[in-house]
């Protein structure tokens, strides 16, 4: 089967102009200004008619099995509905546990990861959770990465947070080395996704690990760095020194009132501060809880992160903050694919997987979504089916 998308305004994420894109075998086979082929009934042609063609979005932190529970068992958040991911244009995601690796397990995370893959998305996972020593499936972080296909790294390991294990520099250095070697031996990134909490230490422990143990900052991938202005400034420095930082797209009015910065605003600050644009990513933190704590550290409310926030922050960055589409788009496509070692994702390039979104040229609304060459949503209608759809 061949699919030919004609007359699309292609952002790969770099702007390629109006092009045709030929897809076969789930991959991008050819990109040119005017492709003509004859393949009879094996060819399906779609006229994009000026719609914008972008890579499927890559979301590097999704609590696909749910998260939270900080307010007791009835505050455990629900698992991801794969149709929500499709509607949000997210074709690749990395699942993670979080605070709770006691009543939630890596086995369950693995099962949900594979379910999403069978249903047509591209799902990977981190081994471990907030706590150290890391919980694993095989008994070691290194072996999980080597032996378990969808495991690409470890995380999100908590630092500067009252819910974390308060890891030492040595523990983090060992974890990074273990994950790194696992990645090297299996051709994966072996990245250590770091959950950064609200404590004063911010990202400082990662700099101390670098100084004491000569572990490069690029082994760590800190998220939630838009939690406060002080942390964002610390994140900018971290990226200027060679690391990649992640801004969380899910937020709410309460968190913003407490100092949380929207990902789009955070991106604007970082660009103005001279932070390298290719070392900034957004993730949704979808299905994670957005807890708020009072001055005594007691939970006083919580919401659920949403996978649609990734696309919402893209639209806001471009439409309200006048950030170039190329720059904002890279934060949810090429940059996250690169830091997590998913080299066939996040770009419209010959040989890459055909994970694509067609966007409305005026509103940037998600119109059609393709994953590995198959339409999951076409012209506003979800066509993917789970085992429970008849
Ligand atoms: Zn987190």
């Amino acid at each position: 089967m061949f699919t030919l998308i004609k007359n699309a305004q292609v952002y790969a994420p770099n702007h390629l102009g109006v092009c045709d894109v030929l897809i076969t075998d789930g991959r991008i086979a050819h990109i040119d200004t005017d492709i003509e082929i004859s393949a009879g009934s094996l060819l399906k042609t779609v006229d994009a008619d000026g719609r914008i063609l972008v890579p499927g979005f890559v979301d590097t932190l999704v609590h696909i099995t749910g998260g939270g529970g900080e307010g007791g068992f009835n505050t455990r958040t629900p698992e991801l509905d794969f149709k929500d991911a499709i509607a949000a244009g997210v074709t690749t995601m990395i699942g993670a546990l979080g605070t709770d690796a006691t009543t939630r397990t890596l086995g369950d995370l693995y099962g949900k990861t594979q379910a999403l893959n069978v249903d047509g998305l591209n799902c990977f996972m981190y081994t471990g959770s907030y706590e150290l020593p890391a919980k694993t499936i095989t008994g070691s972080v290194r072996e999980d990465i080597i032996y378990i296909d969808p495991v690409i790294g470890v995380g999100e390991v908590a630092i500067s947070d009252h819910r974390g294990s308060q890891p030492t520099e040595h523990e983090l250095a060992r974890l990074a080395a273990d994950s790194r070697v696992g990645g090297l031996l299996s051709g994966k990134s072996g990245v250590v996704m770091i959950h950064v909490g609200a404590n004063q230490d911010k990202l400082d422990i990662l700099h101390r690990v670098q100084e004491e143990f000569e572990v490069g900052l690029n082994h760590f991938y800190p998220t939630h760095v838009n939690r406060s202005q002080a942390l964002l400034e610390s994140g900018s420095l971290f990226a200027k020194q060679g690391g990649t930082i992640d801004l969380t797209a899910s937020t709410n009015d309460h968190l913003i009132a407490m100092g949380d910065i929207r990902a789009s605003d955070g991106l604007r600050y970082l660009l103005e501060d001279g932070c390298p644009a290719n070392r900034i990513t957004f993730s949704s933190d979808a299905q994670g809880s957005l807890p708020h704590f009072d001055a005594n550290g007691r939970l006083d409310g919580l919401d659920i992160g949403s996978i649609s926030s990734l696309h919402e922050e893209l639209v806001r960055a471009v439409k309200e903050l006048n950030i170039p589409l190329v720059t904002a788009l890279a934060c949810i496509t090429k940059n996250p694919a690169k830091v997590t070692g998913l080299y066939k994702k996040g770009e419209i390039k010959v040989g890459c997987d055909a994970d694509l979104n067609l966007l409305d040229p005026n509103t940037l609304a998600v119109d059609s979504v393709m994953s590995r060459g198959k339409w999951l949503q076409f012209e506003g209608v979800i066509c993917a089916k789970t085992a429970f759809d008849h």
Side-chain angles (χ1 to χ4, degrees):
M1 282 299 290
F2 299 87
T3 301
L4 180 58
I5 302 175
K6 292 194 76 74
N7 307 314
Q9 192 63 251
V10 179
Y11 282 82
N14 291 333
H15 189 203
L16 305 184
V18 176
C19 292
D20 296 353
V21 177
L22 180 67
I23 293 137
T24 182
D25 218 11
R27 296 268 169 90
I28 296 166
H30 193 42
I31 306 167
D32 212 332
T33 46
D34 190 15
I35 301 174
E36 291 296 335
I37 64 160
S38 50
S41 60
L42 293 178
L43 175 67
K44 255 196 118 166
T45 302
V46 173
D47 188 355
D49 196 20
R51 280 173 287 175
I52 297 173
L53 187 70
V54 300
F57 304 148
V58 178
D59 194 339
T60 55
L61 183 60
V62 184
H63 296 286
I64 55 174
T65 54
E70 286 102 333
F73 294 122
N74 65 330
T75 62
R76 288 158 52 89
T77 60
E79 68 174 41
L80 178 77
D81 181 334
F82 101 124
K83 290 183 182 171
D84 291 343
I86 296 168
V90 174
T91 54
T92 296
M93 70 193 78
I94 306 179
L97 294 179
T99 325
D100 181 4
T102 305
T103 75
R104 296 183 190 277
T105 66
L106 287 164
D108 187 33
L109 186 69
Y110 175 83
K112 177 71 178 178
T113 295
Q114 298 298 49
L116 289 164
N117 284 323
V118 171
D119 283 340
L121 289 168
N122 305 275
C123 193
F124 302 86
M125 62 180 273
Y126 301 105
T127 188
S129 66
Y130 272 23
E131 65 193 73
L132 286 183
K135 290 245 170 101
T136 63
I137 294 175
T138 62
S140 103
V141 165
R142 183 183 303 198
E143 293 188 10
D144 278 11
I145 294 171
I146 294 171
Y147 291 131
I148 303 171
D149 239 7
V151 177
I152 58 97
V154 58
E156 49 173 329
V157 177
I159 63 167
S160 297
D161 196 294
H162 58 100
R163 292 162 291 175
S165 300
Q166 318 311 326
T168 63
E169 288 80 357
H170 187 226
E171 282 176 304
L172 285 173
R174 268 180 82 160
L175 178 71
D178 214 22
S179 188
R180 177 75 177 157
V181 173
L184 287 173
L185 294 177
S186 58
K188 299 176 182 176
S189 77
V191 74
V192 183
M193 167 59 101
I194 298 281
H195 161 103
V196 191
N199 293 2
Q200 289 296 316
D201 197 54
K202 304 186 289 277
L203 299 170
D204 293 354
I205 192 171
L206 302 180
H207 292 280
R208 295 197 294 273
V209 171
Q210 183 193 31
E211 281 155 26
E212 283 178 46
F213 299 95
E214 297 185 15
V215 175
L217 292 183
N218 61 328
H219 296 298
F220 298 108
Y221 178 33
T223 184
H224 315 315
V225 300
N226 51 329
R227 189 187 285 286
S228 68
Q229 181 59 31
L231 184 54
L232 195 60
E233 286 167 17
S234 168
S236 187
L237 183 71
F238 184 89
K240 285 173 190 166
Q241 293 182 350
T244 297
I245 52 173
D246 184 56
L247 310 184
T248 300
S250 289
T251 189
N252 58 28
D253 291 345
H254 184 94
L255 291 172
I256 290 170
M258 300 284 287
D260 203 33
I261 296 162
R262 288 186 68 157
S264 47
D265 288 324
L267 174 60
R268 181 170 62 178
Y269 168 81
L270 291 168
L271 295 172
E272 286 170 357
D273 193 48
C275 180
N278 63 350
R279 299 212 193 107
I280 306 167
T281 70
F282 292 179
S283 68
S284 70
D285 203 12
Q287 307 309 118
S289 67
L290 302 175
H292 18 104
F293 298 94
D294 67 17
N296 298 316
R298 273 192 293 268
L299 184 88
D300 67 1
L302 84 177
D303 288 310
I304 302 171
S306 163
I307 199 158
S308 63
S309 63
L310 206 63
H311 173 253
E312 286 157 14
E313 289 302 299
L314 169 81
V315 174
R316 187 171 182 273
V318 175
K319 294 290 178 190
E320 292 184 34
L321 306 180
N322 295 316
I323 294 170
L325 177 58
V326 168
T327 308
L329 184 62
C331 294
I332 59 170
T333 55
K334 187 178 179 180
N335 301 349
K338 202 170 143 214
V339 66
T340 53
L342 303 175
Y343 296 109
K344 296 222 177 287
K345 303 296 183 188
E347 284 185 86
I348 301 179
K349 201 167 82 176
V350 171
C352 279
D353 290 344
D355 301 339
L356 303 165
N357 290 333
L358 277 170
L359 308 181
D360 182 286
N362 300 312
T363 62
L364 301 180
V366 177
D367 172 284
S368 301
V369 180
M370 174 183 275
S371 171
R372 284 178 268 138
K374 285 205 178 97
W375 294 110
L376 301 183
Q377 174 172 310
F378 192 69
E379 297 186 340
V381 180
I382 290 180
C383 35
K385 284 186 164 63
T386 68
F388 307 106
D389 294 314
H390 302 290

